[in-house]
Amino acid sequence: MKQQIIKYRSIIVIAMSLIFNLISSLLVWHPEGQIFNTRPLTVTEWVCDIISTIIFFFGFISVFYDINDHSKKKIKEAIIETNDELKNDEDAVVNIKKKED
């Protein structure tokens, strides 16, 4: 379960920012007869919109970070696997040495 949360944490952050924006728009004051404000009318609504926008972009940046991190791990795994296969091949010209972490 923890792995799934870590895997999709950026998507969860984006979803929570959108939910926060929706709830804040529904709960903040609006004129009579209007259920939902399409444009911010009060300072509180502006502040809530700015907060949700910042959280949304933070989640968006996290998506790119997670994609980059995942790609690095896959490339490293491919290089190590190739090296293991080349060790068993007697005709191999290349041998990659693993740097200890």
Side-chain angles (χ1 to χ4, degrees):
M1 180 68 178
K2 186 177 178 182
Q3 288 290 48
Q4 292 292 71
I5 291 174
I6 290 173
K7 185 176 180 182
Y8 296 110
R9 67 181 168 213
S10 53
I11 304 299
I12 293 170
V13 169
I14 291 172
M16 293 310 251
S17 73
L18 294 175
I19 291 169
F20 173 77
N21 192 15
L22 178 66
I23 291 173
S24 67
S25 294
L26 290 172
L27 293 179
V28 176
W29 175 86
H30 51 275
E32 286 297 320
Q34 187 176 3
I35 297 172
F36 185 75
N37 288 339
T38 56
R39 284 174 278 158
L41 300 174
T42 63
V43 174
T44 307
E45 237 180 317
W46 278 103
V47 170
C48 289
D49 285 349
I50 290 169
I51 290 170
S52 66
T53 303
I54 290 170
I55 294 170
F56 177 81
F57 282 118
F58 176 75
F60 201 66
I61 290 169
S62 296
V63 167
F64 291 127
Y65 174 78
D66 290 342
I67 289 171
N68 184 33
D69 191 42
H70 181 70
S71 297
K72 282 182 185 178
K73 288 179 183 175
K74 288 295 183 182
I75 290 170
K76 183 177 180 180
E77 181 182 317
I79 290 171
I80 291 171
E81 186 176 322
T82 303
N83 187 36
D84 291 340
E85 289 180 13
L86 288 175
K87 282 181 183 176
N88 297 332
D89 189 7
E90 295 172 359
D91 297 329
V93 178
V94 179
N95 187 8
I96 302 169
K97 295 190 179 195
K98 180 181 171 185
K99 180 180 176 183
E100 296 299 323
D101 294 327

